[in-house]
Amino acid sequence: MRPDQNNTAGQDELYLDVRLLNNLHDTARWARVLAILGFILSGFVLVFGLFMQQILMAPGMEERTTDVGFSGFAIVVYAFVALVYFFPSLYLYTFAGRMQQGVEQRNRQLVHKAVNKLKILFKFMAIMLVLFLLFFGLSLGMLATGVSELSF
């Protein structure tokens, strides 16, 4: 990614100096750490969901389970949350691996693919945040109007 003295590249070329490449490499290392922690968190959420299901099915908890509203649906919710958090971690892990390889090998295609994965991660997070805000707003609206149950 160094400019060649005899290169007559077009205006759309971007060359990175050593300091910026080192910063990208360090960023990729931290991204890998965050991705691995995200995988661990996804696993913990899934395991917690399994244990929560077992706790709610314990003797003496059946009547409380119906009061709280938990049922076999709880494991589905925890599994969904774990799956939703797994994908950003996967995109971040892929970004980290490709960016580290691209910087070490000075490979433009790998760096491009890494940045593309980062773009996908940002799109995914933006969509998830918008959906979260919509559900949060809906919940606040229901709370403000006193709606506690939806009747179909």
Side-chain angles (χ1 to χ4, degrees):
M1 300 213 179
R2 266 193 192 143
D4 188 6
Q5 297 292 338
N6 298 327
N7 190 359
T8 57
Q11 295 293 334
D12 60 348
E13 295 291 326
L14 175 66
Y15 296 103
L16 307 174
D17 63 2
V18 174
R19 189 174 62 197
L20 183 58
L21 287 173
N22 287 335
N23 285 338
L24 285 173
H25 194 266
D26 289 344
T27 300
R29 278 194 215 149
W30 282 108
R32 182 173 294 229
V33 168
L34 287 174
I36 291 170
L37 290 173
F39 291 141
I40 292 170
L41 180 64
S42 292
F44 279 156
V45 167
L46 189 60
V47 169
F48 181 77
L50 291 172
F51 281 124
M52 180 63 80
Q53 183 67 25
Q54 293 301 318
I55 290 170
L56 292 174
M57 300 308 280
M61 290 295 290
E62 292 90 4
E63 57 275 349
R64 290 185 184 167
T65 302
T66 56
D67 291 341
V68 177
F70 287 110
S71 65
F73 187 67
I75 186 65
V76 174
V77 171
Y78 281 105
F80 178 73
V81 169
L83 185 67
V84 165
Y85 200 76
F86 174 81
F87 281 107
S89 299
L90 181 63
Y91 294 140
L92 193 59
Y93 188 81
T94 306
F95 159 77
R98 288 183 180 167
M99 182 60 77
Q100 282 181 323
Q101 279 184 326
V103 168
E104 289 168 359
Q105 298 173 5
R106 304 294 197 261
N107 186 323
R108 183 183 313 247
Q109 285 82 16
L110 285 175
V111 172
H112 175 72
K113 288 178 181 179
V115 172
N116 191 36
K117 286 295 180 184
L118 192 61
K119 180 180 77 169
I120 292 170
L121 168 68
F122 288 155
K123 284 181 181 181
F124 183 87
M125 289 181 68
I127 291 168
M128 292 309 301
L129 285 173
V130 166
L131 289 175
F132 173 77
L133 289 173
L134 287 173
F135 285 130
F136 186 72
L138 179 65
S139 298
L140 283 178
M142 290 174 63
L143 181 66
T145 59
V147 175
S148 62
E149 293 183 24
L150 296 175
S151 59
F152 296 108

PDB file of all heavy atoms in Angstrom, residues 36-66:
ATOM      1  N   ILE A  36     -14.726 -11.989  20.018  1.00  0.00           N
ATOM      2  CA  ILE A  36     -14.663 -13.198  20.843  1.00  0.00           C
ATOM      3  C   ILE A  36     -15.503 -13.019  22.102  1.00  0.00           C
ATOM      4  O   ILE A  36     -16.240 -13.937  22.506  1.00  0.00           O
ATOM      5  CB  ILE A  36     -13.199 -13.555  21.162  1.00  0.00           C
ATOM      6  CG1 ILE A  36     -12.500 -14.028  19.880  1.00  0.00           C
ATOM      7  CG2 ILE A  36     -13.115 -14.615  22.253  1.00  0.00           C
ATOM      8  CD1 ILE A  36     -11.005 -14.182  19.994  1.00  0.00           C
ATOM      9  N   LEU A  37     -15.426 -11.844  22.723  1.00  0.00           N
ATOM     10  CA  LEU A  37     -16.276 -11.577  23.884  1.00  0.00           C
ATOM     11  C   LEU A  37     -17.753 -11.611  23.501  1.00  0.00           C
ATOM     12  O   LEU A  37     -18.592 -12.062  24.278  1.00  0.00           O
ATOM     13  CB  LEU A  37     -15.914 -10.235  24.515  1.00  0.00           C
ATOM     14  CG  LEU A  37     -14.555 -10.194  25.230  1.00  0.00           C
ATOM     15  CD1 LEU A  37     -14.244  -8.770  25.669  1.00  0.00           C
ATOM     16  CD2 LEU A  37     -14.525 -11.152  26.391  1.00  0.00           C
ATOM     17  N   GLY A  38     -18.081 -11.165  22.294  1.00  0.00           N
ATOM     18  CA  GLY A  38     -19.454 -11.230  21.813  1.00  0.00           C
ATOM     19  C   GLY A  38     -19.929 -12.661  21.630  1.00  0.00           C
ATOM     20  O   GLY A  38     -21.072 -12.991  21.958  1.00  0.00           O
ATOM     21  N   PHE A  39     -19.038 -13.528  21.126  1.00  0.00           N
ATOM     22  CA  PHE A  39     -19.393 -14.946  21.002  1.00  0.00           C
ATOM     23  C   PHE A  39     -19.648 -15.554  22.383  1.00  0.00           C
ATOM     24  O   PHE A  39     -20.591 -16.317  22.576  1.00  0.00           O
ATOM     25  CB  PHE A  39     -18.274 -15.733  20.305  1.00  0.00           C
ATOM     26  CG  PHE A  39     -18.105 -15.409  18.848  1.00  0.00           C
ATOM     27  CD1 PHE A  39     -16.833 -15.325  18.299  1.00  0.00           C
ATOM     28  CD2 PHE A  39     -19.190 -15.203  18.022  1.00  0.00           C
ATOM     29  CE1 PHE A  39     -16.655 -15.043  16.950  1.00  0.00           C
ATOM     30  CE2 PHE A  39     -19.032 -14.927  16.677  1.00  0.00           C
ATOM     31  CZ  PHE A  39     -17.761 -14.842  16.143  1.00  0.00           C
ATOM     32  N   ILE A  40     -18.787 -15.216  23.334  1.00  0.00           N
ATOM     33  CA  ILE A  40     -18.948 -15.733  24.694  1.00  0.00           C
ATOM     34  C   ILE A  40     -20.260 -15.244  25.289  1.00  0.00           C
ATOM     35  O   ILE A  40     -21.003 -16.020  25.908  1.00  0.00           O
ATOM     36  CB  ILE A  40     -17.733 -15.332  25.560  1.00  0.00           C
ATOM     37  CG1 ILE A  40     -16.490 -16.070  25.073  1.00  0.00           C
ATOM     38  CG2 ILE A  40     -17.996 -15.616  27.038  1.00  0.00           C
ATOM     39  CD1 ILE A  40     -15.194 -15.574  25.678  1.00  0.00           C
ATOM     40  N   LEU A  41     -20.572 -13.960  25.091  1.00  0.00           N
ATOM     41  CA  LEU A  41     -21.822 -13.411  25.613  1.00  0.00           C
ATOM     42  C   LEU A  41     -23.029 -14.097  24.977  1.00  0.00           C
ATOM     43  O   LEU A  41     -24.006 -14.410  25.670  1.00  0.00           O
ATOM     44  CB  LEU A  41     -21.897 -11.900  25.387  1.00  0.00           C
ATOM     45  CG  LEU A  41     -23.157 -11.208  25.890  1.00  0.00           C
ATOM     46  CD1 LEU A  41     -23.250 -11.326  27.407  1.00  0.00           C
ATOM     47  CD2 LEU A  41     -23.175  -9.765  25.462  1.00  0.00           C
ATOM     48  N   SER A  42     -22.968 -14.355  23.699  1.00  0.00           N
ATOM     49  CA  SER A  42     -24.066 -15.072  23.026  1.00  0.00           C
ATOM     50  C   SER A  42     -24.269 -16.446  23.640  1.00  0.00           C
ATOM     51  O   SER A  42     -25.401 -16.875  23.875  1.00  0.00           O
ATOM     52  CB  SER A  42     -23.778 -15.225  21.535  1.00  0.00           C
ATOM     53  OG  SER A  42     -23.805 -13.993  20.892  1.00  0.00           O
ATOM     54  N   GLY A  43     -23.163 -17.123  23.905  1.00  0.00           N
ATOM     55  CA  GLY A  43     -23.254 -18.432  24.538  1.00  0.00           C
ATOM     56  C   GLY A  43     -23.837 -18.353  25.935  1.00  0.00           C
ATOM     57  O   GLY A  43     -24.670 -19.178  26.326  1.00  0.00           O
ATOM     58  N   PHE A  44     -23.413 -17.348  26.707  1.00  0.00           N
ATOM     59  CA  PHE A  44     -23.950 -17.175  28.057  1.00  0.00           C
ATOM     60  C   PHE A  44     -25.454 -16.896  28.030  1.00  0.00           C
ATOM     61  O   PHE A  44     -26.194 -17.418  28.860  1.00  0.00           O
ATOM     62  CB  PHE A  44     -23.240 -16.042  28.791  1.00  0.00           C
ATOM     63  CG  PHE A  44     -21.913 -16.429  29.383  1.00  0.00           C
ATOM     64  CD1 PHE A  44     -20.963 -15.473  29.633  1.00  0.00           C
ATOM     65  CD2 PHE A  44     -21.614 -17.745  29.681  1.00  0.00           C
ATOM     66  CE1 PHE A  44     -19.741 -15.799  30.189  1.00  0.00           C
ATOM     67  CE2 PHE A  44     -20.393 -18.098  30.237  1.00  0.00           C
ATOM     68  CZ  PHE A  44     -19.450 -17.117  30.485  1.00  0.00           C
ATOM     69  N   VAL A  45     -25.899 -16.070  27.093  1.00  0.00           N
ATOM     70  CA  VAL A  45     -27.336 -15.771  26.997  1.00  0.00           C
ATOM     71  C   VAL A  45     -28.112 -17.046  26.683  1.00  0.00           C
ATOM     72  O   VAL A  45     -29.166 -17.301  27.274  1.00  0.00           O
ATOM     73  CB  VAL A  45     -27.599 -14.675  25.938  1.00  0.00           C
ATOM     74  CG1 VAL A  45     -29.068 -14.566  25.596  1.00  0.00           C
ATOM     75  CG2 VAL A  45     -27.065 -13.341  26.415  1.00  0.00           C
ATOM     76  N   LEU A  46     -27.595 -17.839  25.777  1.00  0.00           N
ATOM     77  CA  LEU A  46     -28.266 -19.096  25.424  1.00  0.00           C
ATOM     78  C   LEU A  46     -28.301 -20.056  26.612  1.00  0.00           C
ATOM     79  O   LEU A  46     -29.347 -20.645  26.915  1.00  0.00           O
ATOM     80  CB  LEU A  46     -27.573 -19.742  24.231  1.00  0.00           C
ATOM     81  CG  LEU A  46     -28.270 -20.935  23.601  1.00  0.00           C
ATOM     82  CD1 LEU A  46     -29.660 -20.545  23.098  1.00  0.00           C
ATOM     83  CD2 LEU A  46     -27.436 -21.480  22.465  1.00  0.00           C
ATOM     84  N   VAL A  47     -27.177 -20.200  27.297  1.00  0.00           N
ATOM     85  CA  VAL A  47     -27.124 -21.086  28.463  1.00  0.00           C
ATOM     86  C   VAL A  47     -28.038 -20.560  29.567  1.00  0.00           C
ATOM     87  O   VAL A  47     -28.749 -21.329  30.218  1.00  0.00           O
ATOM     88  CB  VAL A  47     -25.668 -21.245  28.952  1.00  0.00           C
ATOM     89  CG1 VAL A  47     -25.601 -21.930  30.305  1.00  0.00           C
ATOM     90  CG2 VAL A  47     -24.860 -22.027  27.925  1.00  0.00           C
ATOM     91  N   PHE A  48     -28.037 -19.247  29.778  1.00  0.00           N
ATOM     92  CA  PHE A  48     -28.921 -18.659  30.779  1.00  0.00           C
ATOM     93  C   PHE A  48     -30.379 -18.950  30.438  1.00  0.00           C
ATOM     94  O   PHE A  48     -31.181 -19.249  31.321  1.00  0.00           O
ATOM     95  CB  PHE A  48     -28.694 -17.152  30.886  1.00  0.00           C
ATOM     96  CG  PHE A  48     -29.562 -16.496  31.914  1.00  0.00           C
ATOM     97  CD1 PHE A  48     -29.263 -16.609  33.258  1.00  0.00           C
ATOM     98  CD2 PHE A  48     -30.676 -15.769  31.533  1.00  0.00           C
ATOM     99  CE1 PHE A  48     -30.065 -15.998  34.216  1.00  0.00           C
ATOM    100  CE2 PHE A  48     -31.487 -15.162  32.475  1.00  0.00           C
ATOM    101  CZ  PHE A  48     -31.175 -15.274  33.819  1.00  0.00           C
ATOM    102  N   GLY A  49     -30.724 -18.876  29.176  1.00  0.00           N
ATOM    103  CA  GLY A  49     -32.084 -19.185  28.752  1.00  0.00           C
ATOM    104  C   GLY A  49     -32.458 -20.625  29.048  1.00  0.00           C
ATOM    105  O   GLY A  49     -33.575 -20.908  29.481  1.00  0.00           O
ATOM    106  N   LEU A  50     -31.503 -21.522  28.833  1.00  0.00           N
ATOM    107  CA  LEU A  50     -31.769 -22.931  29.143  1.00  0.00           C
ATOM    108  C   LEU A  50     -31.958 -23.133  30.648  1.00  0.00           C
ATOM    109  O   LEU A  50     -32.866 -23.847  31.078  1.00  0.00           O
ATOM    110  CB  LEU A  50     -30.625 -23.807  28.634  1.00  0.00           C
ATOM    111  CG  LEU A  50     -30.495 -23.921  27.118  1.00  0.00           C
ATOM    112  CD1 LEU A  50     -29.210 -24.642  26.755  1.00  0.00           C
ATOM    113  CD2 LEU A  50     -31.693 -24.635  26.536  1.00  0.00           C
ATOM    114  N   PHE A  51     -31.099 -22.497  31.442  1.00  0.00           N
ATOM    115  CA  PHE A  51     -31.244 -22.617  32.894  1.00  0.00           C
ATOM    116  C   PHE A  51     -32.510 -21.942  33.385  1.00  0.00           C
ATOM    117  O   PHE A  51     -33.166 -22.437  34.300  1.00  0.00           O
ATOM    118  CB  PHE A  51     -30.024 -22.040  33.615  1.00  0.00           C
ATOM    119  CG  PHE A  51     -28.845 -22.965  33.620  1.00  0.00           C
ATOM    120  CD1 PHE A  51     -27.624 -22.552  33.115  1.00  0.00           C
ATOM    121  CD2 PHE A  51     -28.945 -24.252  34.129  1.00  0.00           C
ATOM    122  CE1 PHE A  51     -26.535 -23.393  33.123  1.00  0.00           C
ATOM    123  CE2 PHE A  51     -27.860 -25.106  34.131  1.00  0.00           C
ATOM    124  CZ  PHE A  51     -26.648 -24.672  33.626  1.00  0.00           C
ATOM    125  N   MET A  52     -32.867 -20.805  32.791  1.00  0.00           N
ATOM    126  CA  MET A  52     -34.092 -20.118  33.182  1.00  0.00           C
ATOM    127  C   MET A  52     -35.294 -21.019  32.915  1.00  0.00           C
ATOM    128  O   MET A  52     -36.218 -21.094  33.730  1.00  0.00           O
ATOM    129  CB  MET A  52     -34.242 -18.805  32.416  1.00  0.00           C
ATOM    130  CG  MET A  52     -35.492 -18.040  32.764  1.00  0.00           C
ATOM    131  SD  MET A  52     -35.558 -17.517  34.470  1.00  0.00           S
ATOM    132  CE  MET A  52     -34.517 -16.100  34.392  1.00  0.00           C
ATOM    133  N   GLN A  53     -35.274 -21.696  31.800  1.00  0.00           N
ATOM    134  CA  GLN A  53     -36.364 -22.617  31.476  1.00  0.00           C
ATOM    135  C   GLN A  53     -36.451 -23.726  32.511  1.00  0.00           C
ATOM    136  O   GLN A  53     -37.541 -24.087  32.940  1.00  0.00           O
ATOM    137  CB  GLN A  53     -36.164 -23.195  30.073  1.00  0.00           C
ATOM    138  CG  GLN A  53     -37.264 -24.088  29.617  1.00  0.00           C
ATOM    139  CD  GLN A  53     -38.558 -23.334  29.419  1.00  0.00           C
ATOM    140  OE1 GLN A  53     -38.569 -22.143  29.186  1.00  0.00           O
ATOM    141  NE2 GLN A  53     -39.667 -24.036  29.532  1.00  0.00           N
ATOM    142  N   GLN A  54     -35.302 -24.259  32.911  1.00  0.00           N
ATOM    143  CA  GLN A  54     -35.291 -25.329  33.905  1.00  0.00           C
ATOM    144  C   GLN A  54     -35.765 -24.827  35.266  1.00  0.00           C
ATOM    145  O   GLN A  54     -36.483 -25.527  35.974  1.00  0.00           O
ATOM    146  CB  GLN A  54     -33.894 -25.934  34.031  1.00  0.00           C
ATOM    147  CG  GLN A  54     -33.442 -26.669  32.796  1.00  0.00           C
ATOM    148  CD  GLN A  54     -34.380 -27.797  32.432  1.00  0.00           C
ATOM    149  OE1 GLN A  54     -34.841 -28.532  33.291  1.00  0.00           O
ATOM    150  NE2 GLN A  54     -34.686 -27.923  31.151  1.00  0.00           N
ATOM    151  N   ILE A  55     -35.366 -23.620  35.641  1.00  0.00           N
ATOM    152  CA  ILE A  55     -35.790 -23.048  36.918  1.00  0.00           C
ATOM    153  C   ILE A  55     -37.294 -22.830  36.933  1.00  0.00           C
ATOM    154  O   ILE A  55     -37.974 -23.107  37.921  1.00  0.00           O
ATOM    155  CB  ILE A  55     -35.035 -21.732  37.195  1.00  0.00           C
ATOM    156  CG1 ILE A  55     -33.568 -22.030  37.488  1.00  0.00           C
ATOM    157  CG2 ILE A  55     -35.666 -20.954  38.346  1.00  0.00           C
ATOM    158  CD1 ILE A  55     -32.686 -20.807  37.534  1.00  0.00           C
ATOM    159  N   LEU A  56     -37.830 -22.335  35.821  1.00  0.00           N
ATOM    160  CA  LEU A  56     -39.265 -22.066  35.768  1.00  0.00           C
ATOM    161  C   LEU A  56     -40.103 -23.343  35.744  1.00  0.00           C
ATOM    162  O   LEU A  56     -41.277 -23.308  36.101  1.00  0.00           O
ATOM    163  CB  LEU A  56     -39.588 -21.212  34.550  1.00  0.00           C
ATOM    164  CG  LEU A  56     -39.049 -19.784  34.606  1.00  0.00           C
ATOM    165  CD1 LEU A  56     -39.310 -19.074  33.289  1.00  0.00           C
ATOM    166  CD2 LEU A  56     -39.655 -19.020  35.751  1.00  0.00           C
ATOM    167  N   MET A  57     -39.510 -24.445  35.348  1.00  0.00           N
ATOM    168  CA  MET A  57     -40.248 -25.704  35.321  1.00  0.00           C
ATOM    169  C   MET A  57     -40.078 -26.491  36.620  1.00  0.00           C
ATOM    170  O   MET A  57     -40.611 -27.580  36.756  1.00  0.00           O
ATOM    171  CB  MET A  57     -39.785 -26.559  34.132  1.00  0.00           C
ATOM    172  CG  MET A  57     -39.998 -25.874  32.782  1.00  0.00           C
ATOM    173  SD  MET A  57     -41.665 -25.285  32.540  1.00  0.00           S
ATOM    174  CE  MET A  57     -42.451 -26.784  32.065  1.00  0.00           C
ATOM    175  N   ALA A  58     -39.329 -25.941  37.591  1.00  0.00           N
ATOM    176  CA  ALA A  58     -39.092 -26.637  38.857  1.00  0.00           C
ATOM    177  C   ALA A  58     -40.396 -26.741  39.652  1.00  0.00           C
ATOM    178  O   ALA A  58     -41.306 -25.919  39.498  1.00  0.00           O
ATOM    179  CB  ALA A  58     -38.043 -25.874  39.671  1.00  0.00           C
ATOM    180  N   PRO A  59     -40.493 -27.752  40.501  1.00  0.00           N
ATOM    181  CA  PRO A  59     -41.698 -27.895  41.319  1.00  0.00           C
ATOM    182  C   PRO A  59     -41.907 -26.673  42.208  1.00  0.00           C
ATOM    183  O   PRO A  59     -40.970 -26.138  42.786  1.00  0.00           O
ATOM    184  CB  PRO A  59     -41.408 -29.138  42.172  1.00  0.00           C
ATOM    185  CG  PRO A  59     -40.340 -29.874  41.451  1.00  0.00           C
ATOM    186  CD  PRO A  59     -39.556 -28.843  40.694  1.00  0.00           C
ATOM    187  N   GLY A  60     -43.133 -26.241  42.291  1.00  0.00           N
ATOM    188  CA  GLY A  60     -43.470 -25.073  43.095  1.00  0.00           C
ATOM    189  C   GLY A  60     -43.406 -23.767  42.334  1.00  0.00           C
ATOM    190  O   GLY A  60     -43.830 -22.728  42.830  1.00  0.00           O
ATOM    191  N   MET A  61     -42.848 -23.783  41.139  1.00  0.00           N
ATOM    192  CA  MET A  61     -42.737 -22.552  40.350  1.00  0.00           C
ATOM    193  C   MET A  61     -43.808 -22.472  39.269  1.00  0.00           C
ATOM    194  O   MET A  61     -43.909 -21.462  38.596  1.00  0.00           O
ATOM    195  CB  MET A  61     -41.351 -22.480  39.679  1.00  0.00           C
ATOM    196  CG  MET A  61     -40.206 -22.251  40.629  1.00  0.00           C
ATOM    197  SD  MET A  61     -40.248 -20.660  41.443  1.00  0.00           S
ATOM    198  CE  MET A  61     -39.881 -19.573  40.078  1.00  0.00           C
ATOM    199  N   GLU A  62     -44.600 -23.524  39.088  1.00  0.00           N
ATOM    200  CA  GLU A  62     -45.576 -23.537  38.001  1.00  0.00           C
ATOM    201  C   GLU A  62     -46.567 -22.393  38.115  1.00  0.00           C
ATOM    202  O   GLU A  62     -46.886 -21.736  37.127  1.00  0.00           O
ATOM    203  CB  GLU A  62     -46.332 -24.873  37.946  1.00  0.00           C
ATOM    204  CG  GLU A  62     -45.483 -26.045  37.535  1.00  0.00           C
ATOM    205  CD  GLU A  62     -44.840 -26.739  38.739  1.00  0.00           C
ATOM    206  OE1 GLU A  62     -45.125 -26.355  39.894  1.00  0.00           O
ATOM    207  OE2 GLU A  62     -44.034 -27.650  38.513  1.00  0.00           O
ATOM    208  N   GLU A  63     -47.055 -22.129  39.331  1.00  0.00           N
ATOM    209  CA  GLU A  63     -48.046 -21.066  39.478  1.00  0.00           C
ATOM    210  C   GLU A  63     -47.423 -19.689  39.282  1.00  0.00           C
ATOM    211  O   GLU A  63     -48.043 -18.773  38.755  1.00  0.00           O
ATOM    212  CB  GLU A  63     -48.769 -21.139  40.829  1.00  0.00           C
ATOM    213  CG  GLU A  63     -47.869 -21.083  42.044  1.00  0.00           C
ATOM    214  CD  GLU A  63     -47.305 -22.449  42.440  1.00  0.00           C
ATOM    215  OE1 GLU A  63     -47.759 -23.470  41.922  1.00  0.00           O
ATOM    216  OE2 GLU A  63     -46.385 -22.466  43.263  1.00  0.00           O
ATOM    217  N   ARG A  64     -46.176 -19.519  39.671  1.00  0.00           N
ATOM    218  CA  ARG A  64     -45.494 -18.239  39.452  1.00  0.00           C
ATOM    219  C   ARG A  64     -45.159 -18.043  37.980  1.00  0.00           C
ATOM    220  O   ARG A  64     -45.122 -16.936  37.495  1.00  0.00           O
ATOM    221  CB  ARG A  64     -44.221 -18.169  40.282  1.00  0.00           C
ATOM    222  CG  ARG A  64     -44.493 -18.043  41.754  1.00  0.00           C
ATOM    223  CD  ARG A  64     -43.213 -17.863  42.490  1.00  0.00           C
ATOM    224  NE  ARG A  64     -43.456 -17.845  43.914  1.00  0.00           N
ATOM    225  CZ  ARG A  64     -42.529 -17.948  44.825  1.00  0.00           C
ATOM    226  NH1 ARG A  64     -41.280 -18.086  44.450  1.00  0.00           N
ATOM    227  NH2 ARG A  64     -42.827 -17.921  46.100  1.00  0.00           N
ATOM    228  N   THR A  65     -44.890 -19.132  37.317  1.00  0.00           N
ATOM    229  CA  THR A  65     -44.553 -19.058  35.899  1.00  0.00           C
ATOM    230  C   THR A  65     -45.691 -18.463  35.089  1.00  0.00           C
ATOM    231  O   THR A  65     -45.473 -17.605  34.237  1.00  0.00           O
ATOM    232  CB  THR A  65     -44.208 -20.462  35.360  1.00  0.00           C
ATOM    233  OG1 THR A  65     -43.137 -20.987  36.118  1.00  0.00           O
ATOM    234  CG2 THR A  65     -43.828 -20.408  33.903  1.00  0.00           C
ATOM    235  N   THR A  66     -46.908 -18.876  35.377  1.00  0.00           N
ATOM    236  CA  THR A  66     -48.029 -18.331  34.623  1.00  0.00           C
ATOM    237  C   THR A  66     -48.301 -16.888  35.016  1.00  0.00           C
ATOM    238  O   THR A  66     -48.720 -16.098  34.189  1.00  0.00           O
ATOM    239  CB  THR A  66     -49.294 -19.173  34.841  1.00  0.00           C
ATOM    240  OG1 THR A  66     -49.571 -19.245  36.247  1.00  0.00           O
ATOM    241  CG2 THR A  66     -49.121 -20.564  34.280  1.00  0.00           C
TER     242      THR A  66
END
